Structures are given as C-alpha cells and as structure tokens.
Amino acid sequence: MSDERRGHVHTDGGWSMMEPGDTAVEDAIAAKLEAAWGCKLHRFAALHPIDFYAVKHDRMVAVVEIKSRGHASGTYPDVYLSVRKWTRLYEAAWMLNIRAFFVVQFTDGIRRIEVTDIDASKHKIGGCNKVRSVSSREPVILVDVKDMKEVKA
C-alpha cells in the first residue's frame, strides 16, 4: 500500500478512500478479536461509518471500529479517532443498549477501549496530509494509548 491514497468510485457511484488491502487487514484483526472475545464479527455495509458489529449467543453485543498502525503502542502517547466515528459508535451503543469499542492493532499487540471511557474533550483537527480527500483532515479525538487495554488472544 502506498503512502498516498488515491481512492476510487464505489459501485454505487460514491467516493471511497478504502484501498483493496484495507479490508483484508481489518478482517485479520477481526478474526483475532473473535478468538479473544468468543464472538462473531460481521462487517457493516461499505461506506458505513462503523466497521463491525459483534454477535454472541445470537445477539448483537457490540459495535467495533478497527484501526491498524505500523508502530509500537508506546511510540506516540495517543491515537486518533475521528469525531464522526466516535459519535456513530456512541450513538449505536446508546440506541441498541450494547457496548462500543475502538480497537487498534499496533506492531506489539492489539489494544482496545470502550467508547464510553474515551475523553472526547481531548480533540483537535488532525489526520493524514498524504491522503487526498476532504475527509483526510477532520476533527479527531486524541485517545490516550495508556487508557487502552491489551487484547489477549
């Protein structure tokens, strides 16, 4: 995957910044979460703001946003979660009476935090300057990595 994402037109005509390899990485992380949590993760439809929902004992139990970073968890003090995604996760948890997780795979393991435990007052405009999209710079929450719990597979 290159540093500069070009994006493509989705089958419905909408614009998507997802690269072909992105879903494969997320699916691999989801499989690790399934093993650790004893549930089945299902991908939401393309262009949905949330990546997955978790089912256990035939009931939806959580929604999950997954990110992958190419550095160790201690490299930076925080990781970005877009305000847009945080809002959707929080709303889903509240409306469906389920849990919502932000999960990040670092090079030294997977960490997670429940959305209700994120301090959303720590925010700024952030994102990646290498991505050419109007949504590549947006309001983000700075999630403190030390507040995230390790996922043990």
Side-chain angles (χ1 to χ4, degrees), residues 86 89-90 93-94 98-101 113-119:
W86 175 83
L89 289 162
Y90 203 94
W94 181 77
I98 60 175
R99 299 169 82 182
F101 293 98
I113 187 167
E114 208 155 338
V115 171
T116 54
D117 293 333
I118 293 173
D119 180 358

Side-chain angles (χ1 to χ4, degrees), residues 29 60 88 130 151:
I29 298 167
M60 183 187 292
R88 298 302 176 260
K130 297 176 184 175
V151 175

Side-chain angles (χ1 to χ4, degrees), residues 7-22:
H8 65 277
V9 177
H10 189 264
T11 55
D12 69 356
W15 189 252
S16 175
M17 290 307 295
M18 290 288 286
E19 295 284 341
D22 290 349

Side-chain angles (χ1 to χ4, degrees), residues 6-7 10 12 17 24 27 31 35 38 42 44 51-52 58-59 75 77 84 89 110 117 134 142 148:
R6 302 213 188 316
H10 189 264
D12 69 356
M17 290 307 295
D27 289 342
H42 302 271
F44 277 103
D51 293 331
F52 292 90
D58 295 321
R59 294 181 189 261
T75 304
R84 176 179 50 86
L89 289 162
I110 300 174
D117 293 333
V134 294
L142 286 71
M148 301 179 83

